[in-house]
Amino acid sequence: MPNTNDGRQKILDYLKENNLSMTTLAVQYGMVRQDVTNILNGKLRNPQANRFIARVIEDFKIR
């Protein structure tokens, strides 16, 4: 499985810089807040988590 540490950190930085919460992100993607929190904190690592990270980076144009 690919390492997504950098992607997770970039998303967390983006949320902080734009004053967005993980709850807002969860609502936008129709997910449970705890799942988003676990994904972004690195506690949940599976193919679905990796796809979520990639989708958020792509959707928000995070570089």
Side-chain angles (χ1 to χ4, degrees):
M1 215 176 319
N3 184 340
T4 58
N5 292 335
D6 291 337
R8 282 196 313 275
Q9 188 58 52
K10 286 183 180 196
I11 293 170
L12 290 170
D13 292 344
Y14 180 88
L15 292 176
K16 185 175 181 180
E17 290 167 8
N18 292 282
N19 199 29
L20 296 170
S21 68
M22 289 188 206
T23 302
T24 300
L25 199 59
V27 170
Q28 286 180 324
Y29 286 92
M31 296 177 66
V32 176
R33 181 197 53 81
Q34 192 61 48
D35 288 345
V36 171
T37 301
N38 287 339
I39 290 169
L40 294 181
N41 288 333
K43 294 178 183 173
L44 185 60
R45 296 173 182 242
N46 58 34
Q48 293 84 3
N50 292 348
R51 281 193 293 274
F52 172 74
I53 291 167
R55 193 168 77 208
V56 171
I57 289 171
E58 200 54 38
D59 289 349
F60 286 91
K61 309 289 190 248
I62 299 171
R63 300 289 174 240

